[in-house]
Amino acid sequence: MKNRILIILLTVIMSFLFVGLLFIQMRYVKDTVKLRETHFNEAVKRSIGDVARDLQDTGKRDMIQMVGSLLKTAFEDNGLGHISYYYQITENDTDVLYQTPKFYPEKEQYVFRQRLLPREQIYLKIYFPAHSDYIMKSVTLFVPSVVFTIMLLLTFAATLFIINREKKLNEIKTDFVNNMTHEFKTPISSIMLASQMLQDQNVTKTPEILAHISNVIKEETRRLNFQVEKILQISMFENDKSPFKFTEVEINELIAASVVNFSLKVKNRGGQILTDLKAENAWAMVDELHFTNVIYNLMDNALKYSKETEPLVLHINTWNENENECLCISIEDNGIGIKKENLKKIFDRFYRVPTGNLHNVKGFGLGLAYVHRIIRGHKGQITVESEIDKGTRFTIKILTLKNSE
Ligand code: ATP
Ligand code: MG
């Protein structure tokens, strides 16, 4: 909680700093542009003032010849030697006495005007085509500075995002450890109880009791083993090396064998498994152990998330698509279903649908992540459709062996 407040505080302070920084930069640019414009205007006015002074006593004809060179010197003297300009000399503001080849000022406000001869109505009009470039040159560094500021902002946002993700993962891992401890504790205490019974002199060890105790030990050890196996499977996620041993497998047979093993569990809870394995070409290159685990995980979920009021009916079908090139397997239950907004997350590691009133169903949230990973490793696809309170259907699609019948 403390961390959360710290992150929010940091975000607010950083956002404030960025807005402040941008504001100062804009202000700075505005002031610089204004200052440079004033400097430029003053330098131009000084230059054409100098020219007018030098021409004071000349006649009209000489004046026209002299203006060009006088302007050039005056601009050089006032630090504007490198900027290009066009000018025009007029009498009474209407008769053009002379003008440079190009003289089409785009905006009247950038034209400077100066009376040249004190006794006659002769005016010099001058304009600078690169006027705005000259002004903006002073703030060219503004663009990279804004880019840097934005990049800084993005880096900061990315850092926050990563911190947040790590935080979430941490919470999830704590949950996982709690869950795992619980899952291990139950079988361990059952085994402990059974061994205490064996040691207890007061318990008469009839063959029935011995059979019962050994059965408890066997079942609970199997459960422990299953949990350990699951966690081992998940360690696969950490290293990306292909852990598969592919062999040619008849998937219909693999499913039938898994169903036989699992149906006892389903029957104990009053449910049933109905299979319709009608895929003609069910041969595929799969890792037998992992693929069995996939089917087992899906059946396990169907049983775990079945309704309390209605016994489980589990339909498992296989069929071919694309002229026997694809093998499809569907596993459909009539359980509690999954809400649409949760459906897209169920293949995420450690994700469990928030249970509401179903507190008794334990799990790590790893089963489907494992299933997804294995199916991807087989270059297959798994999709899910679900309706709350109606049931869920998982469909797996993999490629069949091309040359087999
Ligand atoms: P475990 O790692 O022991 O399998 P888990 O069953 O909680 O734990 P997943 O198998 O990954 O984890 O399933 C993720 C979540 O998806 C479950 O917690 C459950 O809420 C939901 N879910 C999965 N299968 C079904 C299903 N057939 N019907 C309804 N909800 C399901
Ligand atoms: Mg599961």
Side-chain angles (χ1 to χ4, degrees):
M1 200 58 200
K2 258 186 190 165
N3 269 346
R4 206 182 147 80
I5 293 172
L6 199 67
I7 289 177
I8 293 175
L9 201 70
L10 267 179
T11 316
V12 171
I13 293 175
M14 282 304 262
S15 320
F16 182 72
L17 290 181
F18 277 120
V19 171
L21 202 63
L22 271 177
F23 179 74
I24 291 171
Q25 280 176 336
M26 303 287 257
R27 219 19 230 276
Y28 167 77
V29 166
K30 224 170 126 191
D31 288 355
T32 314
V33 166
K34 216 165 158 187
L35 198 69
R36 184 125 163 139
E37 186 132 32
T38 317
H39 276 171
F40 179 78
N41 290 353
E42 276 171 5
V44 173
K45 275 180 194 155
R46 224 174 16 246
S47 306
I48 53 182
D50 287 353
V51 172
R53 217 179 29 250
D54 289 348
L55 287 172
Q56 248 175 30
D57 303 323
T58 23
K60 209 157 95 179
R61 193 167 302 160
D62 292 341
M63 181 246 350
I64 290 172
Q65 279 172 3
M66 287 167 72
V67 165
S69 61
L70 281 177
L71 271 178
K72 195 161 181 270
T73 329
F75 282 144
E76 270 165 13
D77 289 350
N78 285 296
L80 296 174
H82 49 278
I83 190 164
S84 57
Y85 54 88
Y86 301 116
Y87 66 94
Q88 184 184 57
I89 302 170
T90 54
E91 188 158 19
N92 296 329
D93 254 347
T94 44
D95 305 338
V96 176
L97 299 181
Y98 174 80
Q99 80 175 25
T100 46
K102 295 176 190 164
F103 187 83
Y104 340 97
E106 286 141 25
K107 283 187 186 152
E108 202 55 37
Q109 80 236 44
Y110 293 130
V111 175
F112 295 84
R113 194 161 168 272
Q114 169 77 37
R115 187 169 180 173
L116 282 183
L117 298 181
R119 282 175 298 276
E120 295 183 58
Q121 292 291 326
I122 293 191
Y123 288 94
L124 169 73
K125 282 183 178 176
I126 186 162
Y127 90 96
F128 303 84
H131 168 261
S132 27
D133 291 353
Y134 179 82
I135 304 291
M136 291 320 279
K137 224 180 199 165
S138 57
V139 288
T140 40
L141 277 181
F142 174 66
V143 176
S145 100
V146 167
V147 171
F148 286 169
T149 311
I150 290 173
M151 272 163 67
L152 210 61
L153 185 71
L154 290 181
T155 320
F156 174 66
T159 315
L160 270 188
F161 174 76
I162 292 170
I163 290 178
N164 213 21
R165 205 182 49 187
E166 288 296 310
K167 204 174 109 269
K168 268 194 194 138
L169 205 69
N170 225 358
E171 285 166 8
I172 283 171
K173 279 195 171 151
T174 315
D175 264 6
F176 168 70
V177 170
N178 289 344
N179 246 331
M180 194 176 70
T181 321
H182 175 93
E183 295 268 328
F184 281 156
K185 253 187 158 161
T186 324
I188 287 174
S189 51
S190 303
I191 294 171
M192 221 148 78
L193 206 71
S195 66
Q196 271 169 12
M197 276 175 85
L198 282 180
Q199 279 176 347
D200 196 337
Q201 306 293 338
N202 299 329
V203 178
T204 41
K205 303 198 174 56
T206 60
E208 290 83 43
I209 287 184
L210 277 180
H212 177 71
I213 291 176
S214 68
N215 204 29
V216 166
I217 294 177
K218 196 174 127 208
E219 267 307 302
E220 295 302 322
T221 329
R222 216 178 51 78
R223 205 163 123 189
L224 259 182
N225 199 32
F226 177 65
Q227 307 293 11
V228 172
E229 178 71 17
K230 195 168 239 170
I231 291 166
L232 282 182
Q233 285 166 8
I234 281 312
S235 72
M236 254 180 47
F237 286 104
E238 308 302 337
N239 54 32
D240 254 352
K241 281 177 260 149
S242 168
F244 301 120
K245 279 195 212 94
F246 288 105
T247 49
E248 295 179 12
V249 178
E250 221 281 354
I251 303 292
N252 282 343
E253 283 169 18
L254 182 146
I255 291 176
S258 311
V259 166
V260 169
N261 287 337
F262 198 75
S263 59
L264 198 68
K265 252 182 159 178
V266 177
K267 270 185 200 142
N268 279 344
R269 303 256 300 260
Q272 55 176 326
I273 306 182
L274 302 172
T275 54
D276 183 11
L277 310 176
K278 58 174 179 292
E280 280 173 26
N281 180 7
W283 284 95
M285 281 302 265
V286 299
D287 181 304
E288 196 169 353
L289 177 79
H290 285 302
F291 209 82
T292 311
N293 282 340
V294 164
I295 304 294
Y296 190 84
N297 263 307
L298 293 177
M299 294 194 296
D300 183 50
N301 278 349
L303 186 63
K304 258 164 72 172
Y305 307 108
S306 57
K307 283 188 234 167
E308 277 175 47
T309 48
E310 198 180 322
L312 169 68
V313 180
L314 185 56
H315 285 275
I316 303 183
N317 300 344
T318 64
W319 68 97
N320 286 120
E321 272 178 14
N322 279 0
E323 296 169 4
N324 288 2
E325 261 192 25
C326 272
L327 173 67
C328 302
I329 306 160
S330 77
I331 295 181
E332 182 176 357
D333 62 50
N334 59 341
I336 57 174
I338 306 165
K339 273 193 207 146
K340 233 195 184 95
E341 71 244 38
N342 299 324
L343 210 55
K344 49 184 180 290
K345 293 192 223 144
I346 57 167
F347 293 110
D348 291 353
R349 255 199 292 177
F350 301 117
Y351 180 78
R352 305 196 71 218
V353 174
T355 42
N357 56 0
L358 255 179
H359 293 295
N360 50 343
V361 185
K362 292 283 168 205
F364 298 137
L366 290 175
L368 287 179
Y370 168 78
V371 166
H372 192 244
R373 162 80 204 252
I374 299 300
I375 297 300
R376 244 189 11 209
H378 283 70
K379 298 198 170 52
Q381 287 170 356
I382 177 158
T383 50
V384 55
E385 299 145 80
S386 187
E387 202 174 324
I388 197 92
D389 262 341
K390 289 260 164 62
T392 309
R393 176 166 62 203
F394 289 92
T395 311
I396 298 172
K397 238 184 211 187
I398 52 168
L399 286 178
T400 53
L401 268 178
K402 289 199 179 83
N403 298 327
S404 58
E405 259 326 309

